[in-house]
Amino acid sequence: MKILVTGTAGFIGFFLAKKLLEEGHIVIGLDNINDYYDTNLKYARLNQLGVSREHAEQWNFRCESSKFENFSFIRMNLEDRVGLPELFQSKKIEIVCNLAAQAGVRYSLENPESYIDSNVVGFLNILECCRHNNIKHLLYASSSSVYGESEKEIFSVSDRVDHPISLYAATKKSNELMAFTYSHLYGLQATGLRFFTVYGPWGRPDMAIFLFTDAIAKDRPIKIFNNGDMSRDFTYIDDIITGITILLKKEPAKKNNPKFFLSNIGNGNPQPLMSFVNAIEYSMGKVAEKHYLPMQPGDVLRTSADTSELTKLGYKSNTSINEGVESFVNWYKEFYSV
């Protein structure tokens, strides 16, 4: 299959592209390599895929991988209403995995415009390109943040999600509504991926595991919000990729809207934040100095994924917190020469 993976310089996109290439697919990678976080990490991910920084830095330049004969990359904004349609038409893409987005809950409090540009305008552009180019299947990144301050113990895709508490969550909910509309009107097979707290090697520097590990390595205190009284459905990157690849091959449902589908991809075993911190301390061999702070705007107390529907398709989250954290810490030490 010929698959477009947007956000290829990002955390999940990088791992997905690598997995698809290993399975023998033809992959076109796309990313705008913005400076939301350290671009050196983004270029390093692309280098792992055989794309040099010299080539990746050029806008609208399609470059070939030196490691994977079936991989090419182009630097482009999703909002590019000329370049993106041209890419779809020239490459005869069959499947789209749209993982490009402006991420981060707290950042959305300060930079709302970037979320609308990328997550709403950019996503509309993706939908239009899929509509006009007979795309067989669109998979797109949603988020567990759409559940907001749900009082349920376990979050199900059948839950109502009408009260997002951050602009980031609101844009992800809007993506689901937009995808449903295009599925209904134009028969586009669309699958929304509600990710739950993804972590692992090559992870984003704004995520908790990176912030905690980096602070401990540099003998700085770590910030513990809501005095540590929080839990998350921490999901290791390999399990996330397993979930995506299963859904990529999923046949459309036969009832209700046969082309529209939502899926949680999580571990299904939420852990207290402090257990996560303890696992990092153990792997680092150091106890962190902790600063306990109130709840941050836009944060939620807990997340917990109902993965029963995905489990029926063969999904299983196999990575424990201790295993996943150790893998991340080992990567961090090697990458940053700690």
Side-chain angles (χ1 to χ4, degrees), residues 271-288:
Q271 298 290 317
L273 177 62
M274 296 313 298
S275 295
F276 197 59
V277 172
N278 292 340
I280 298 170
E281 290 176 322
Y282 180 81
S283 292
M284 290 293 290
K286 295 171 68 175
V287 176

PDB file of all heavy atoms in Angstrom, residues 271-288:
ATOM      1  N   GLN A 271      -2.233   4.204  36.014  1.00  0.00           N
ATOM      2  CA  GLN A 271      -1.304   4.196  37.136  1.00  0.00           C
ATOM      3  C   GLN A 271      -1.289   5.559  37.818  1.00  0.00           C
ATOM      4  O   GLN A 271      -1.392   6.598  37.161  1.00  0.00           O
ATOM      5  CB  GLN A 271       0.109   3.886  36.627  1.00  0.00           C
ATOM      6  CG  GLN A 271       0.262   2.531  35.982  1.00  0.00           C
ATOM      7  CD  GLN A 271       0.166   1.402  36.975  1.00  0.00           C
ATOM      8  OE1 GLN A 271       0.738   1.471  38.059  1.00  0.00           O
ATOM      9  NE2 GLN A 271      -0.560   0.357  36.614  1.00  0.00           N
ATOM     10  N   PRO A 272      -1.153   5.567  39.147  1.00  0.00           N
ATOM     11  CA  PRO A 272      -0.992   6.852  39.842  1.00  0.00           C
ATOM     12  C   PRO A 272       0.255   7.584  39.342  1.00  0.00           C
ATOM     13  O   PRO A 272       1.263   6.945  39.019  1.00  0.00           O
ATOM     14  CB  PRO A 272      -0.834   6.446  41.305  1.00  0.00           C
ATOM     15  CG  PRO A 272      -1.405   5.074  41.404  1.00  0.00           C
ATOM     16  CD  PRO A 272      -1.142   4.425  40.076  1.00  0.00           C
ATOM     17  N   LEU A 273       0.180   8.888  39.271  1.00  0.00           N
ATOM     18  CA  LEU A 273       1.313   9.672  38.809  1.00  0.00           C
ATOM     19  C   LEU A 273       2.560   9.375  39.624  1.00  0.00           C
ATOM     20  O   LEU A 273       3.662   9.263  39.077  1.00  0.00           O
ATOM     21  CB  LEU A 273       0.981  11.164  38.884  1.00  0.00           C
ATOM     22  CG  LEU A 273       2.112  12.125  38.505  1.00  0.00           C
ATOM     23  CD1 LEU A 273       2.536  11.925  37.062  1.00  0.00           C
ATOM     24  CD2 LEU A 273       1.685  13.568  38.747  1.00  0.00           C
ATOM     25  N   MET A 274       2.395   9.224  40.939  1.00  0.00           N
ATOM     26  CA  MET A 274       3.563   9.010  41.786  1.00  0.00           C
ATOM     27  C   MET A 274       4.219   7.651  41.535  1.00  0.00           C
ATOM     28  O   MET A 274       5.422   7.501  41.711  1.00  0.00           O
ATOM     29  CB  MET A 274       3.186   9.164  43.262  1.00  0.00           C
ATOM     30  CG  MET A 274       2.732  10.581  43.638  1.00  0.00           C
ATOM     31  SD  MET A 274       3.824  11.892  43.009  1.00  0.00           S
ATOM     32  CE  MET A 274       5.367  11.499  43.836  1.00  0.00           C
ATOM     33  N   SER A 275       3.440   6.651  41.092  1.00  0.00           N
ATOM     34  CA  SER A 275       4.037   5.365  40.726  1.00  0.00           C
ATOM     35  C   SER A 275       4.922   5.536  39.492  1.00  0.00           C
ATOM     36  O   SER A 275       5.985   4.912  39.385  1.00  0.00           O
ATOM     37  CB  SER A 275       2.944   4.329  40.444  1.00  0.00           C
ATOM     38  OG  SER A 275       2.208   4.048  41.608  1.00  0.00           O
ATOM     39  N   PHE A 276       4.477   6.383  38.578  1.00  0.00           N
ATOM     40  CA  PHE A 276       5.258   6.688  37.379  1.00  0.00           C
ATOM     41  C   PHE A 276       6.550   7.388  37.768  1.00  0.00           C
ATOM     42  O   PHE A 276       7.629   7.051  37.275  1.00  0.00           O
ATOM     43  CB  PHE A 276       4.414   7.567  36.459  1.00  0.00           C
ATOM     44  CG  PHE A 276       4.889   7.632  35.041  1.00  0.00           C
ATOM     45  CD1 PHE A 276       4.996   6.498  34.255  1.00  0.00           C
ATOM     46  CD2 PHE A 276       5.202   8.854  34.462  1.00  0.00           C
ATOM     47  CE1 PHE A 276       5.401   6.559  32.933  1.00  0.00           C
ATOM     48  CE2 PHE A 276       5.615   8.937  33.140  1.00  0.00           C
ATOM     49  CZ  PHE A 276       5.719   7.787  32.380  1.00  0.00           C
ATOM     50  N   VAL A 277       6.442   8.353  38.677  1.00  0.00           N
ATOM     51  CA  VAL A 277       7.630   9.072  39.159  1.00  0.00           C
ATOM     52  C   VAL A 277       8.600   8.100  39.834  1.00  0.00           C
ATOM     53  O   VAL A 277       9.812   8.154  39.613  1.00  0.00           O
ATOM     54  CB  VAL A 277       7.225  10.201  40.126  1.00  0.00           C
ATOM     55  CG1 VAL A 277       8.466  10.817  40.782  1.00  0.00           C
ATOM     56  CG2 VAL A 277       6.429  11.272  39.392  1.00  0.00           C
ATOM     57  N   ASN A 278       8.064   7.201  40.653  1.00  0.00           N
ATOM     58  CA  ASN A 278       8.913   6.233  41.348  1.00  0.00           C
ATOM     59  C   ASN A 278       9.663   5.337  40.371  1.00  0.00           C
ATOM     60  O   ASN A 278      10.832   5.000  40.590  1.00  0.00           O
ATOM     61  CB  ASN A 278       8.066   5.368  42.289  1.00  0.00           C
ATOM     62  CG  ASN A 278       7.508   6.152  43.459  1.00  0.00           C
ATOM     63  OD1 ASN A 278       8.010   7.221  43.800  1.00  0.00           O
ATOM     64  ND2 ASN A 278       6.455   5.643  44.072  1.00  0.00           N
ATOM     65  N   ALA A 279       8.998   4.961  39.278  1.00  0.00           N
ATOM     66  CA  ALA A 279       9.649   4.119  38.265  1.00  0.00           C
ATOM     67  C   ALA A 279      10.792   4.868  37.587  1.00  0.00           C
ATOM     68  O   ALA A 279      11.847   4.291  37.300  1.00  0.00           O
ATOM     69  CB  ALA A 279       8.620   3.661  37.230  1.00  0.00           C
ATOM     70  N   ILE A 280      10.604   6.165  37.347  1.00  0.00           N
ATOM     71  CA  ILE A 280      11.676   6.973  36.753  1.00  0.00           C
ATOM     72  C   ILE A 280      12.843   7.090  37.723  1.00  0.00           C
ATOM     73  O   ILE A 280      14.012   6.944  37.329  1.00  0.00           O
ATOM     74  CB  ILE A 280      11.149   8.369  36.369  1.00  0.00           C
ATOM     75  CG1 ILE A 280      10.054   8.250  35.307  1.00  0.00           C
ATOM     76  CG2 ILE A 280      12.287   9.252  35.856  1.00  0.00           C
ATOM     77  CD1 ILE A 280       9.317   9.545  35.043  1.00  0.00           C
ATOM     78  N   GLU A 281      12.544   7.370  38.987  1.00  0.00           N
ATOM     79  CA  GLU A 281      13.600   7.473  39.998  1.00  0.00           C
ATOM     80  C   GLU A 281      14.408   6.177  40.076  1.00  0.00           C
ATOM     81  O   GLU A 281      15.640   6.198  40.165  1.00  0.00           O
ATOM     82  CB  GLU A 281      12.983   7.791  41.357  1.00  0.00           C
ATOM     83  CG  GLU A 281      12.413   9.201  41.460  1.00  0.00           C
ATOM     84  CD  GLU A 281      11.735   9.438  42.797  1.00  0.00           C
ATOM     85  OE1 GLU A 281      11.069   8.501  43.304  1.00  0.00           O
ATOM     86  OE2 GLU A 281      11.859  10.552  43.342  1.00  0.00           O
ATOM     87  N   TYR A 282      13.712   5.047  40.037  1.00  0.00           N
ATOM     88  CA  TYR A 282      14.398   3.749  40.116  1.00  0.00           C
ATOM     89  C   TYR A 282      15.337   3.562  38.931  1.00  0.00           C
ATOM     90  O   TYR A 282      16.497   3.158  39.087  1.00  0.00           O
ATOM     91  CB  TYR A 282      13.370   2.621  40.175  1.00  0.00           C
ATOM     92  CG  TYR A 282      13.981   1.244  40.255  1.00  0.00           C
ATOM     93  CD1 TYR A 282      14.434   0.735  41.476  1.00  0.00           C
ATOM     94  CD2 TYR A 282      14.128   0.446  39.116  1.00  0.00           C
ATOM     95  CE1 TYR A 282      15.020  -0.533  41.552  1.00  0.00           C
ATOM     96  CE2 TYR A 282      14.702  -0.809  39.176  1.00  0.00           C
ATOM     97  CZ  TYR A 282      15.154  -1.293  40.397  1.00  0.00           C
ATOM     98  OH  TYR A 282      15.728  -2.535  40.471  1.00  0.00           O
ATOM     99  N   SER A 283      14.835   3.868  37.712  1.00  0.00           N
ATOM    100  CA  SER A 283      15.657   3.690  36.512  1.00  0.00           C
ATOM    101  C   SER A 283      16.826   4.668  36.470  1.00  0.00           C
ATOM    102  O   SER A 283      17.889   4.347  35.945  1.00  0.00           O
ATOM    103  CB  SER A 283      14.792   3.864  35.262  1.00  0.00           C
ATOM    104  OG  SER A 283      13.869   2.810  35.131  1.00  0.00           O
ATOM    105  N   MET A 284      16.621   5.867  37.035  1.00  0.00           N
ATOM    106  CA  MET A 284      17.696   6.859  37.075  1.00  0.00           C
ATOM    107  C   MET A 284      18.666   6.616  38.226  1.00  0.00           C
ATOM    108  O   MET A 284      19.773   7.160  38.226  1.00  0.00           O
ATOM    109  CB  MET A 284      17.102   8.268  37.203  1.00  0.00           C
ATOM    110  CG  MET A 284      16.371   8.756  35.966  1.00  0.00           C
ATOM    111  SD  MET A 284      17.472   9.029  34.566  1.00  0.00           S
ATOM    112  CE  MET A 284      18.382  10.489  35.118  1.00  0.00           C
ATOM    113  N   GLY A 285      18.254   5.843  39.201  1.00  0.00           N
ATOM    114  CA  GLY A 285      19.093   5.602  40.374  1.00  0.00           C
ATOM    115  C   GLY A 285      19.233   6.830  41.257  1.00  0.00           C
ATOM    116  O   GLY A 285      20.210   6.961  42.005  1.00  0.00           O
ATOM    117  N   LYS A 286      18.232   7.723  41.190  1.00  0.00           N
ATOM    118  CA  LYS A 286      18.260   8.958  41.975  1.00  0.00           C
ATOM    119  C   LYS A 286      16.846   9.298  42.429  1.00  0.00           C
ATOM    120  O   LYS A 286      15.876   9.054  41.708  1.00  0.00           O
ATOM    121  CB  LYS A 286      18.799  10.128  41.136  1.00  0.00           C
ATOM    122  CG  LYS A 286      20.241   9.985  40.720  1.00  0.00           C
ATOM    123  CD  LYS A 286      20.642  11.056  39.707  1.00  0.00           C
ATOM    124  CE  LYS A 286      20.676  12.427  40.309  1.00  0.00           C
ATOM    125  NZ  LYS A 286      21.188  13.441  39.329  1.00  0.00           N
ATOM    126  N   VAL A 287      16.760   9.879  43.613  1.00  0.00           N
ATOM    127  CA  VAL A 287      15.474  10.347  44.123  1.00  0.00           C
ATOM    128  C   VAL A 287      15.316  11.818  43.765  1.00  0.00           C
ATOM    129  O   VAL A 287      16.222  12.624  43.980  1.00  0.00           O
ATOM    130  CB  VAL A 287      15.373  10.155  45.646  1.00  0.00           C
ATOM    131  CG1 VAL A 287      14.069  10.742  46.187  1.00  0.00           C
ATOM    132  CG2 VAL A 287      15.462   8.669  45.994  1.00  0.00           C
ATOM    133  N   ALA A 288      14.169  12.160  43.220  1.00  0.00           N
ATOM    134  CA  ALA A 288      13.944  13.531  42.772  1.00  0.00           C
ATOM    135  C   ALA A 288      13.540  14.442  43.916  1.00  0.00           C
ATOM    136  O   ALA A 288      12.834  14.030  44.841  1.00  0.00           O
ATOM    137  CB  ALA A 288      12.848  13.550  41.710  1.00  0.00           C
TER     138      ALA A 288
END
